[in-house]
Amino acid sequence: MAVPRSKPLIYIGDLTYDTNMIAIEHIPIGIGYVVSYVEAKLPGQLSIQMFKMPNKILDAINDNPPDILALGYFPWNRNLDQLVVDQFLERNPNGLVVFGGTTFSFVESQQRDFFTRMHPLVDIFVTNDGELGFVELLKNYTACDGNKDAILAGRPIDGCVFLDRNNKQLRVGKYIPRLKNLDDIPSPYLTGLMDQFLANHLFVPLVQATRGCPFQCTYCWAGNKYNSRIGEFSIERVAAELEYIALRRKDIPHKILMLANSNFGMYKRDLLIAKKMIDLQQKHDYPTTYSLIYGQIKQEQVFNTVKDFKDILGQVSFQSTDSKILKNVKRPPVDINKQKANISKFKDVGIPVATEIITGLPGETRSTHLQTLKDIISMELDSVTAFSLMLIEGSEIATPESMQKNKWDTRYRIIPRNFGKYRGKISIEIETVAVGSTTYNFDDYIYFRGLHAAVRAVFFHTVFQHFICYLRQHKVDLFDFCIVFYTNLKEFSGRVGNEFRSFLREAREEIWDSKEELKAYFQKPENYRKLVTGEMGDNLLGKYRTIILTESFDEWCDFYFEQALQAVVSTISEEKARAELNDIKNHIMGKVFRIISPENMRGEAVLNVLNHNVLQWEKDRFAKPLSYYKFDKPERIKYVIPENKRQIVQEILEISKRERSEFWKVVSYRYHIPAIFRHAYLLQR
């Protein structure tokens, strides 16, 4: 039971799993904003503690249960939240349970379902920007002297939704518009509120300069009227936060920064933020890795904003190139020629460009998705990532109307790394995947899971770029090449083929027909162990991409070599093609083979002998055919990692001693892996 206290105690959490490693690594800036605003509007009236890690909040609840438990509710922690709620109500049955977050439906029937079926122990949901509704809730809490029954039987609370348990009426408070001046929310960084999280180097700093998105994409949680209104924090404040973070993170190897903006670079003010980030890179070598979401329009402005960043990856979002499908999801049409010109600008200054697509959007067919792949491959992108269509709570595409119209074939799978065992209870997070509709079926879904994996291997940016450029120079249709690559992978008898067939098997087995069956299966200790080891439930594209890079890279280079050779022999003599491609393969091996190894950590050099100056060809951005770079006689090349990057290899090696699933994540997502590639040097004769 809660003990009497002079002022209400609140525990507020943005929780994540930490079974093998921290699943959602960003600093919980969202609850930081909420706490900052509450302390500004209700100074001295409340005692608030913030939490990110499950065991810490569970320990605190056990030792000193709060009056109010407030938790961020997202796809990656819904069941974890419920586990914590159960523990809280055991210790304080009269405590108030409050959720807030982005994945709450605007549809009344789904809101009612949230309180009656999905989360009956939750008392109140704070909607939209949580700072505003939470303050209104706390005012009401104080006015009712903390009496939960009185609160839930009383008038609606602005910015909140709750169910009156007595008469089963849904109480929906008045809409509170987004703050005109977001600086009314004191900075959680500059006030020191987030120092406890900055001190933990496993957490990634997250900074928000702009809030909201003007687009209405139906598959996105932000595709609604409320979020279409843009709010801004001042440039001076954002610059001060970036400086504050850089001074506290400049001396660690893992120098990543995340920006929470939905469309970075699309606004003129972003250029000033970019200049500040570039200045910090020059002064503190921070950040060295970014996580950014680029603007969908004003591509030239986006390019000018980010072009001077160090080690940046350009990003162009398509999802589909089919105009009808884009209309169905309320996205603007794609001008392919205009996008090609935009991509060329990035590549002309040496910035690789990636894109992502979504499989199975409304109106999708096998032929429309193949055309999307053909279109984006023609744009000479460096990396292509494909996502399955997830039906996210709160998005328009997950409403009853959408379900009825599209007749979604919904299946379920584990959200990678979002599982754990706390207080003896197993908790797993599950996502709903649309694997079929009125125009698309499960066979199409499985076919494209395999094709996407093959395309991602072909366009393994900065790794196999030399092969790609060689194929382009010899006028090889890379879409057709990917189809043949895919077909041959499925039939190849060696290790490469075995790994690919394992991927296909896992892609089929990860999909479940019901949540109940999935939950029941992983409640068994021997099956839960499969999640821990990565045998099941991992991000398959990331997992197998890491396996390619760290376990079977030489075999994949050999396979790629043979596929490229067969693709060009109709336009060039086999002898010449074999000699050129062999130098390309050996150069790639020199740069990348066993980069995560004790030898690379120690800076041991790899020596190769090449007949072509692949180094200069790369420096010239593949402007001419490789034949122009033929040496007069074979030359020795030395490959060695820069000294200031060796500590990154050491960090990754330490992680690799633990579960493979943890290793797969850090290689796929946490580190900018090209930073630890060996550099090539032509040795003097």
Side-chain angles (χ1 to χ4, degrees):
M1 297 290 292
V3 297
R5 47 178 63 97
S6 60
K7 52 187 176 182
L9 175 63
I10 302 171
Y11 290 170
I12 183 168
D14 177 3
L15 303 179
T16 185
Y17 292 89
D18 60 348
T19 303
N20 290 338
M21 63 182 304
I22 298 172
I24 305 298
E25 297 176 307
H26 65 256
I27 283 176
I29 191 64
I31 60 173
Y33 288 135
V34 172
V35 174
S36 290
Y37 194 69
V38 168
E39 291 182 346
K41 295 299 179 181
L42 306 171
Q45 298 181 34
L46 305 150
S47 177
I48 309 177
Q49 297 179 31
M50 296 187 296
F51 297 88
K52 177 80 173 178
M53 309 313 292
N55 281 318
K56 286 191 175 182
I57 195 170
L58 289 168
D59 288 343
I61 287 170
N62 185 66
D63 295 341
N64 186 22
D67 302 292
I68 300 174
L69 176 68
L71 298 175
Y73 177 78
F74 301 99
W76 54 82
N77 65 9
R78 289 173 293 194
N79 292 321
L80 178 59
D81 280 356
Q82 192 59 53
L83 185 152
V84 173
V85 168
D86 291 342
Q87 175 87 1
F88 168 61
L89 292 177
E90 284 183 15
R91 298 288 291 124
N92 183 7
N94 296 317
L96 188 68
V97 177
V98 182
F99 277 13
T102 58
T103 51
F104 187 71
S105 177
F106 287 83
V107 179
E108 182 176 330
S109 62
Q110 290 182 311
Q111 291 178 343
R112 179 178 295 278
D113 188 58
F114 176 91
F115 290 107
T116 58
R117 183 182 63 84
M118 294 173 62
H119 297 285
L121 299 180
V122 174
D123 297 311
I124 298 173
F125 201 101
V126 178
T127 61
N128 301 317
D129 288 2
E131 300 91 351
L132 309 174
F134 197 55
V135 165
E136 294 303 313
L137 166 60
L138 294 176
K139 290 178 180 177
N140 190 285
Y141 182 89
T142 302
C144 293
D145 293 325
N147 186 316
K148 181 166 77 171
D149 292 337
I151 295 169
L152 298 180
R155 62 174 179 79
I157 301 171
D158 293 350
C160 299
V161 178
F162 63 89
L163 186 70
D164 186 328
R165 306 289 180 181
N166 294 325
N167 57 28
K168 307 302 181 184
Q169 292 295 310
L170 198 67
R171 304 285 190 184
V172 181
K174 291 180 181 178
Y175 166 92
I176 306 178
R178 177 164 283 156
L179 289 170
K180 292 182 179 180
N181 181 12
L182 290 183
D183 280 359
D184 286 348
I185 306 170
S187 169
Y189 285 115
L190 302 180
T191 58
L193 196 61
M194 310 312 290
D195 282 358
Q196 60 173 307
F197 301 105
L198 275 172
N200 185 338
H201 295 168
L202 296 177
F203 292 138
V204 176
L206 178 65
V207 174
Q208 187 173 57
T210 303
R211 186 179 290 188
C213 177
F215 305 107
Q216 301 284 305
C217 306
T218 63
Y219 51 80
C220 180
W221 66 267
N224 55 64
K225 183 178 179 181
Y226 182 88
N227 282 296
S228 66
R229 186 186 184 282
I230 308 302
E232 297 174 343
F233 293 101
S234 68
I235 295 294
E236 295 77 14
R237 167 177 164 156
V238 174
E241 288 182 336
L242 290 169
E243 183 83 35
Y244 188 92
I245 293 166
L247 290 173
R248 287 155 180 78
R249 288 298 183 95
K250 63 185 177 67
D251 296 323
I252 67 171
H254 181 40
K255 300 179 183 180
I256 188 171
L257 174 71
M258 299 177 70
L259 286 186
N261 299 22
S262 294
N263 294 280
F264 186 72
M266 202 171 78
Y267 307 104
K268 291 182 178 179
R269 67 195 299 271
D270 291 339
L271 185 60
L272 299 176
I273 296 169
K275 287 181 178 178
K276 178 63 180 179
M277 293 168 67
I278 293 166
D279 175 62
L280 293 174
Q281 282 189 318
Q282 293 171 346
K283 289 196 306 184
H284 304 303
D285 193 31
Y286 181 91
T288 56
T289 306
Y290 308 86
S291 177
L292 306 173
I293 300 175
Y294 292 164
Q296 295 181 31
I297 59 174
K298 300 182 181 179
Q299 297 296 329
E300 184 171 356
Q301 187 166 294
V302 172
F303 167 75
N304 289 329
T305 301
V306 304
K307 65 181 176 65
D308 294 323
F309 283 167
K310 183 170 62 176
D311 292 332
I312 194 72
L313 175 66
Q315 185 77 31
V316 183
S317 296
F318 290 119
Q319 318 312 347
S320 174
T321 60
D322 185 276
S323 58
K324 290 182 180 179
I325 292 173
L326 291 172
K327 184 178 180 180
N328 290 342
V329 296
K330 299 182 181 178
R331 279 182 69 90
V334 173
D335 184 327
I336 292 176
N337 291 328
K338 189 174 181 180
Q339 289 293 353
K340 283 182 178 179
N342 177 55
I343 291 165
S344 293
K345 288 180 181 178
F346 281 93
K347 295 175 76 70
D348 286 346
V349 295
I351 299 175
V353 185
T355 192
E356 72 270 348
I357 54 178
I358 298 176
T359 315
L361 291 168
E364 185 85 279
T365 65
R366 185 177 289 214
S367 61
T368 62
H369 194 70
L370 285 170
Q371 186 61 49
T372 288
L373 284 169
K374 191 176 183 69
D375 289 339
I376 62 175
I377 287 172
S378 74
M379 297 180 198
E380 300 194 2
L381 292 152
D382 298 284
S383 180
V384 179
T385 299
F387 295 98
S388 304
L389 176 60
M390 276 114 29
L391 303 183
I392 300 172
E393 284 182 67
S395 67
E396 183 179 331
I397 212 164
T399 60
E401 291 78 11
S402 172
M403 302 293 285
Q404 172 101 19
K405 179 180 179 180
N406 294 289
K407 295 183 169 50
W408 297 119
D409 178 0
T410 54
R411 313 281 179 97
Y412 307 94
R413 68 183 179 195
I414 295 285
I415 300 179
R417 295 173 296 277
N418 287 273
F419 58 86
K421 189 173 184 179
Y422 302 99
R423 301 304 190 264
K425 296 179 180 179
I426 291 172
S427 177
I428 59 175
E429 302 301 335
I430 300 170
E431 60 189 1
T432 304
V433 184
V435 301
S437 66
T438 55
T439 59
Y440 183 82
N441 62 41
F442 186 64
D443 288 340
D444 296 327
Y445 169 84
I446 291 296
Y447 172 80
F448 282 121
R449 283 288 275 163
L451 180 55
H452 293 152
V455 169
R456 196 168 189 192
V458 170
F459 291 92
F460 199 154
H461 86 85
T462 70
V463 176
F464 292 140
Q465 61 173 329
H466 304 78
F467 279 134
I468 289 291
C469 291
Y470 187 82
L471 292 168
R472 283 181 177 139
Q473 288 179 349
H474 288 281
K475 309 301 181 186
V476 173
D477 185 311
L478 287 176
F479 173 76
D480 292 341
F481 178 80
C482 287
I483 298 295
V484 173
F485 197 93
Y486 178 30
T487 301
N488 291 343
L489 268 176
K490 289 188 289 185
E491 299 172 355
F492 189 65
S493 60
R495 178 173 180 175
V496 168
N498 291 335
E499 287 178 353
F500 191 72
R501 285 185 290 275
S502 292
F503 169 87
L504 294 175
R505 173 183 54 78
E506 290 192 54
R508 186 176 290 272
E509 292 177 353
E510 73 175 354
I511 296 295
W512 294 72
D513 291 334
S514 80
K515 287 184 181 179
E516 290 70 25
E517 289 178 4
L518 192 161
K519 288 179 181 178
Y521 181 84
F522 288 111
Q523 289 301 315
K524 296 179 180 179
E526 64 272 21
N527 295 333
Y528 173 75
R529 177 63 186 162
K530 295 175 183 178
L531 296 177
V532 176
T533 63
E535 181 181 345
M536 297 183 72
D538 216 306
N539 181 304
L540 295 184
L541 290 174
K543 169 182 174 178
Y544 279 93
R545 185 168 174 156
T546 304
I547 288 173
I548 291 173
L549 187 66
T550 62
E551 298 182 25
S552 52
F553 189 70
D554 50 346
E555 287 97 334
W556 278 89
C557 279
D558 288 340
F559 181 82
Y560 209 134
F561 169 88
E562 292 296 337
Q563 301 307 304
L565 180 63
Q566 294 305 313
V568 301
V569 289
S570 62
T571 61
I572 183 175
S573 74
E574 182 173 344
E575 181 182 4
K576 181 179 180 182
R578 189 175 291 276
E580 292 177 344
L581 285 167
N582 195 59
D583 274 358
I584 288 174
K585 183 184 74 171
N586 288 335
H587 179 69
I588 293 171
M589 287 285 290
K591 291 181 65 174
V592 181
F593 184 56
R594 288 185 55 78
I595 54 168
I596 302 173
S597 66
E599 303 89 72
N600 200 37
M601 180 189 71
R602 293 191 295 265
E604 294 181 12
V606 173
L607 296 177
N608 264 334
V609 176
L610 302 182
N611 292 294
H612 298 80
N613 194 343
V614 185
L615 299 70
Q616 192 61 46
W617 186 49
E618 180 182 332
K619 289 177 182 177
D620 293 344
R621 297 179 187 144
F622 315 102
K624 296 178 181 179
L626 182 57
S627 57
Y628 279 76
Y629 297 85
K630 195 172 190 306
F631 289 127
D632 293 334
K633 65 178 184 178
E635 296 285 356
R636 292 188 306 146
I637 313 297
K638 181 177 76 171
Y639 300 84
V640 64
I641 185 175
E643 187 173 354
N644 64 343
K645 303 298 183 183
R646 296 172 192 174
Q647 190 174 354
I648 299 175
V649 180
Q650 183 177 358
E651 280 195 359
I652 299 175
L653 284 171
E654 287 298 318
I655 293 169
S656 72
K657 296 175 183 177
R658 304 197 285 267
E659 296 291 352
R660 290 177 78 202
S661 57
E662 184 174 353
F663 176 60
W664 291 333
K665 180 186 176 181
V666 298
V667 175
S668 295
Y669 301 103
R670 180 187 290 180
Y671 294 95
H672 181 62
I673 294 300
I676 61 173
F677 287 179
R678 299 180 191 91
H679 289 197
Y681 303 93
L682 179 63
L683 295 177
Q684 298 298 318
R685 296 179 184 175

